[in-house]
Each structure stands twice: as structure tokens, then as C-alpha cells.
Amino acid sequence: MGRGRRSVLAAAVTVVCAVTLLGASGTAFASAGPDREPTSPGTKPPASPSPSSSSTPPPSVTVPPDKDLEAVRTKLDQLYHDAAVATDAYNAAEERAEQQSAQVTDLSRKIVEQQRKLDELKDRAGAAARSQYRTGGLPPQAQLLLSNDPQQFLDGAGRLLEGERATSGLLQDMTHTQQDLEQYASDAADRLRKLEDNRKAKATAQKRIQQRIKEAEQLQATLEQRQRERLAQLERQAAQQAQAAWLDTGILKEISGGATEADKKAVAYATAQIGKPYEWGAEGPRTYDCSGLTSQAWAAAGHPVPRTSQEQWKQLKHVSVKDMRPGDLIIYFGDASHVAMYVGEGRIVHAPRPGRTVTLAGAGTMPILGVVRPDAD
């Protein structure tokens, strides 16, 4: 076996082993959480525990007085917003990792196929060499000239030309196959590096999500029951005020778009999930995060959309708020960190944040970045 073949085979073995190891690490990564029932491949994060009314406040945190509950609400919003941004980063890294894993697997298959083809070509070249050895090592041209039979000479001349063309084609096939094999090995190694980078990005995002949720839960655990009730009241009041301000613009008088059949299917799927818990990184069927809900709803309607709210904002067609119709997706906050589905009459269905469930809400309860339409074509 030549040095070139040994190096290519070594590259192929490295690729296959790396894919196996990465797959194994992904499995171990996922096994740390409770049993889940994801609808798409890839590692899913563990569920975050919901804060309990009987939780003991951490000794390092002071129970805030009632007058500071508005500051607590603001702080919780910041923490959950940061967790949402990290969740989008986690989902994006997971989607890229799934794509790259599939590419590596495909390249590994091509490497094996090309190596098999190269082996066959080398066997054919070896057979030709052995044939020449059996004829005394004379070149075909010399054997032809030594023939005493004119017809044999003419027949041999034709076969000689065919043989030369075949030999030339064989050498070209061997060269191209060797080049393809080396390129596939190089591409596979590059995909593996990117796959490892995205695995690290997922881990970093997961750590940030868990930290922010833990901080939020610790903060809520400092509150007494009456303070929690008052905090919930403040949250409802803030949402109602924001929705009222949005409606006071007269926007509902301008919104008149009718739903398509695909819109109706997406809305029906999303509203059927009402009451199911939020879980970051989840795409159903038992739990969802915000973009997991919208992406699965539109997949059910026959129009797959990007997995994350930020990519939904980047890739889908933008429409004005006054032109939106049921089924359109409303993107919230300046960083496109949250998404909901418009269902008509000024309302949305969405998966809000950890500790909450899929619910209906006013479309104006959060700062609207813009609206996108999944079935614009």
C-alpha cells in the first residue's frame, strides 16, 4: 500500500471515528436531563425547574420591600430576556451542528466509495501490467510489428488504438478519483472542526441560559407569597397598559388581512398547544420555546421556516403591521429575541418564558420589531 493511499485511508478513518465520538458526546450531553419527546433530531436541553412557593431564599439575597417590587419586575424581565437571547444562540448552534453532522456523514460515505473505486482502478492497472509481463515484456507496438499475418496486423492495430485509449482513460480516472478522495477528506475535516465549534457554542449558550434562569428563580424565591401575588399583578398591569397604548393608535382599524388556508392551519396548530409548558430549546410536542412553537406550527402548515426568531426575522418576508393577517409572525425587541403568532383581533399566541405556558396575549404587550410572513410566496 502506497503512502498516498495510507494517508487517505487514515483521513477516512479519522473522519468516521470523529463522527462517532461527536455523536456519542451529544448523546451523553442529552442524557443529563429528564426524559423528553422532541420532534426533531439533535440534543435537547434539560427542563428548568419551576420556582416553588415553598422555596427557601438563598442566604445571600435580601427580601426586597414592597416598594421595590417594580424594580424586581424590571430585573426579572432583563434576566429572562437575556435567557431568551441565549436560547436563540443555543437553537442556532444546534441547527448548524445538525446540518454539519449530516454533511460529515455524507462525506464519509463518499470517501469510502471513492476509495473503493480507486482500489478497482488500481486492480485494473495491475491486470494490464501482468498481461504485459506474460507477453515477454514487449510493448504492444513491437508485438504488432513482429506479426506475419496481415489480417492479424490490421486487427491488432485497431485493438492497439483501443488499448491506448483505455489505458489513458484509466490513468485519468485514477488521477481524478485520487483528487476527489483527497478533497472529500479535506472537506470532512473542515466540517468536523465547525461541528466541534458549534458544540462548544451550544454548551456556552446552555450555561448562560441556566445561569440567568437560576438568578431569576433565586430572586423570586426571596419574595413572600403576598409579594409574589403583587408582582404578578404588576406584570398584568404593565401588559394591559402596553396593549391599551397599542390599541389606542387605532391599529386594529387598519388591520384587515384575511387568512389563507396555510395561515389557518398554522394558527390551529399553535392554539392547540395552549397550556403546554415553556422549555428553552424545545420544539414539542409536550413543551416549546417561542420559536419552537412558531416553527413547528408552520411546518405543520406545510411551510417550514427557520428555527430561531432571529433567523425568522432575517429570512422571511417583512410586512407592515397594518397589513398583517392571522398566521403572520410578530418579532419582538430590538434584537429579535422573541416571536409570537398573530391570531387576529389584536391577539397573539406564544410561549412566553420559563415558568409559563403557551398562552394568548395582546399583540402590543411587548415592543414590536416587525412582522414576517412565512407563506409570502
Side-chain angles (χ1 to χ4, degrees), residues 2-236:
R3 180 182 302 174
R5 181 176 174 185
R6 285 197 300 270
S7 63
V8 172
L9 281 175
V13 171
T14 301
V15 169
V16 174
C17 290
V19 173
T20 303
L21 287 173
L22 283 176
S25 64
T27 302
F29 187 64
S31 65
D35 292 339
R36 300 180 54 193
E37 193 173 324
T39 56
S40 64
T43 303
K44 292 298 177 189
S48 301
S50 300
S52 170
S53 59
S54 61
S55 301
T56 302
S60 59
V61 181
T62 303
V63 177
D66 287 359
K67 64 183 179 66
D68 290 340
L69 283 178
E70 184 59 36
V72 171
R73 186 185 70 81
T74 300
K75 179 62 175 177
L76 287 173
D77 286 346
Q78 292 173 345
L79 290 171
Y80 282 124
H81 176 265
D82 197 15
V85 173
T87 297
D88 233 31
Y90 177 94
N91 291 335
E94 180 181 55
E95 189 172 40
R96 288 193 299 266
E98 290 174 0
Q99 294 170 351
Q100 288 156 0
S101 179
Q103 291 169 353
V104 169
T105 300
D106 183 58
L107 286 168
S108 299
R109 177 183 57 78
K110 289 180 178 178
I111 287 173
V112 173
E113 291 175 353
Q114 291 299 99
Q115 186 62 63
R116 186 183 299 115
K117 180 179 178 181
L118 185 61
D119 290 342
E120 292 173 355
L121 291 172
K122 288 183 176 180
D123 287 343
R124 287 169 56 190
R130 290 190 296 273
S131 175
Q132 184 176 353
Y133 176 78
R134 285 194 297 270
T135 59
L138 290 174
Q141 295 89 339
Q143 296 176 36
L144 186 59
L145 291 173
L146 293 175
S147 173
N148 294 322
D149 186 339
Q151 186 59 46
Q152 182 181 6
F153 180 88
L154 293 174
D155 293 342
R159 287 194 298 272
L160 177 60
L161 289 174
E162 292 177 0
E164 288 178 344
R165 293 192 189 101
T167 300
S168 176
L170 177 62
L171 293 176
Q172 289 179 1
D173 281 350
M174 289 178 63
T175 300
H176 292 159
T177 300
Q178 181 71 37
Q179 291 172 345
D180 289 344
L181 188 56
E182 293 172 354
Q183 185 62 51
Y184 288 147
S186 175
D187 289 347
D190 180 61
R191 296 296 189 280
L192 280 171
R193 285 191 294 270
K194 292 180 179 178
L195 182 60
E196 176 64 15
D197 290 342
N198 277 306
R199 187 189 68 80
K200 292 178 180 177
K202 282 175 56 179
T204 299
Q206 179 183 12
K207 183 177 180 180
R208 186 173 184 84
I209 295 166
Q210 292 172 330
Q211 286 176 338
R212 292 299 177 265
I213 292 176
K214 182 178 180 180
E215 290 177 38
E217 290 174 346
Q218 287 179 338
L219 180 56
Q220 291 175 92
T222 65
L223 303 177
E224 298 174 355
Q225 182 61 33
R226 61 180 181 81
Q227 291 176 314
R228 290 177 186 162
E229 293 172 356
R230 175 57 181 159
L231 180 62
Q233 184 180 20
L234 289 174
E235 292 175 347
R236 288 193 298 271

